[in-house]
Amino acid sequence: MLELKSYLQDEWQSGSGDGATLFNPANGEAIARASTTGLDLGAALSFARKEGGPALRELSFAQRGEILTGLSKAIHSHRSELLEISTLNTGTTLKDSKFDIDGATGTLAAYGALGAELGERTFLLDGDGLQVGRSPRFHGQHIQVPLRGVAIHINAFNFPAWGFAEKLACSFLAGMPALTKPATGTSLPSHRIAEIVVDSGLCPAGSWSFLCGSVGDLLSHTTAQDVVAFTGSAQTARKIRSQDRIVEQSVRVNAEADSLNAMVIGPDVEPGSDTWDLFIRELTREITQKSGQKCTATRRVFLPPNLIDPAVEALRESLAEFPAGLPTDDSVRMGPLSTPDQYPDVVEGLRQLAGVAEIAIGSIPDGDGANGALIEPVVFVCKDPARASLVHELEVFGPCCTLMPYSGDPIQGGEMVARANGCLVATSYSDDLSFCRELLFELAPWNGRVLLGSKRIAEHSTGPGIVLPQLVHGGPGRAGGGLELGGLRGLKLYMQTCAVQGSRPMIEKILDA
Ligand code: NAP
């Protein structure tokens, strides 16, 4: 069976023992193994700090950007092969595989272009200089400089390519070496990308490492200058944040975790209108794209009571186009769950939701998922969302969502969304400006991103599920409290903001301000 290696200290290394097994979720076949047992992770981090850090910091933003552009092209040149690998290991249809692979190359390219814009500097000026004393001679200027440690990137199973790229793009451009650790179960696409990155010869020595398999004792070797950027469950985020070493060294941790994202439909929206059709189209995509296994997928939908039945009818029709099937069949538009072991978890989650909500579309599967982790879309209706706290707490990571009534008042809609205690994204569908204004300011404190869906953008909207490199990704509270991407904002995690005080001429000369 294929043995997946790690790339540490600029060489491919194998762990000992059997390690973990990777499967094809469409048929349950074992396809590869990955082990990190016995690897010296402390030495790997020291090497990256000593070799990779100085090499990257010496480069200007434009030069770091060139590396990212080069990586984007190198990965893109293996697109067909990567799409196949993605389908094999994550069960995604061709379209869903493209979403991950093209998302990765697009994000690297976007940050490559940002590097070119930032030009020949090696650090950032943060705002304008300030007079900080009675005389203009006594001057202050904020700067941002790259941290001297390693950016440790721990990714979730659902985006083995994009997850690698969105984190790497920001840390590399900031000037920090990185170590990528994909989720083991779906690490085959990440491993092939790692080979492409290494073979490209684009990364300076020590600037990129790859750990394939369990995280082992990696985090016990972190220092105050390292950063941990994590994507995954809230439970693992908590474990990472509370590790003694992380606490003692005040290691920066950015967490992107679970999220019960929501949609709120305005009372002005009429079934059959452009805005309604946009809502149904985007909700259908959120339920079925990657079989609902996106952190940004919509789980809760709040509608005025009279719109619930029309929404169920419209969804019944649109979801009929997405029966779950094997991703190798070209006509299939929704594949299985990414790994076979998620099947019982999703079925159990659906059962729990059925305890507080009625099933309006679909049913709870009764198989064991052993011959393919296929789950059909399920839509619930929960009539009393103010009492049913479970619908705001339980993230079922599969093709499902719950429709719920609210009064049509934007304040109440916002209050319902906030019950999930922080989300990555919320969407409103309405053409009423005052409704949108009130709802936006109810949603914004609880959500990292708000999409205002209306007829004016019906033809242009990319939907709530797509994360764009120009806009921030992350959300407060339950969603992890993290912030990634957002153009230049994404670099801040990897840089120290330092206030410099002194004589104005000296500061301006040193900083070339
Ligand atoms: P997970 O079980 O928390 O695993 C995530 C990553 O953490 C994996 O790489 C895993 O490695 C690693 N890990 C596990 N235990 C660890 C520990 N003690 N210390 C350090 N790392 C550890 O989550 P998942 O099942 O892969 O992902 C599903 C969840 O991620 C969902 O809840 C989803 O909402 C969330 N998610 C969020 C976002 C976002 O951007 N906010 C994006 C995607 C997914 P192994 O695989 O080797 O165990």
Side-chain angles (χ1 to χ4, degrees), residues 50-136:
K50 204 159 147 251
E51 303 289 330
L56 270 183
R57 289 196 296 273
E58 204 177 270
L59 302 178
S60 65
F61 286 108
Q63 289 169 315
R64 295 173 205 156
E66 269 174 40
I67 297 177
L68 295 176
T69 307
L71 290 178
S72 170
K73 288 182 181 157
I75 296 167
H76 185 73
S77 70
H78 293 268
R79 184 173 186 254
S80 311
E81 180 196 355
L82 287 168
L83 292 174
E84 269 178 40
I85 294 174
S86 184
T87 296
L88 174 71
N89 187 201
T90 72
T92 40
T93 60
L94 180 64
K95 203 167 170 200
D96 286 350
S97 298
K98 285 179 187 169
F99 184 40
D100 187 32
I101 305 292
D102 294 345
T105 49
T107 304
L108 289 169
Y111 273 88
L114 180 59
E117 264 174 51
L118 293 172
E120 294 313 310
R121 284 196 171 279
T122 56
F123 64 91
L124 292 172
L125 293 175
D126 182 345
D128 293 332
L130 306 157
Q131 179 176 332
V132 289
R134 261 181 290 165
S135 155

Side-chain angles (χ1 to χ4, degrees), residues 111 165-175 484-485 487 490-491 494:
Y111 273 88
E166 56 107 16
K167 288 185 168 57
L168 183 76
C170 293
S171 60
F172 247 50
L173 195 57
E484 290 181 334
L485 299 172
L491 274 56
Y494 304 103

Side-chain angles (χ1 to χ4, degrees), residues 45 49 147 149-154 176 218-230 237 239-255 493-494 496:
L45 290 180
R49 285 183 205 111
L147 289 168
V150 181
I152 297 171
H153 295 158
I154 301 177
M176 237 187 139
L218 179 72
L219 299 183
S220 67
H221 301 286
T222 48
T223 69
Q225 287 281 309
D226 296 327
V227 173
V228 178
F230 165 80
K239 266 193 214 161
I240 292 175
R241 282 196 170 116
S242 57
Q243 280 200 18
D244 287 349
R245 181 73 180 178
I246 299 281
V247 176
E248 276 163 20
Q249 295 280 318
S250 303
V251 177
R252 249 184 232 180
V253 176
N254 189 80
L493 175 64
Y494 304 103
Q496 178 61 36

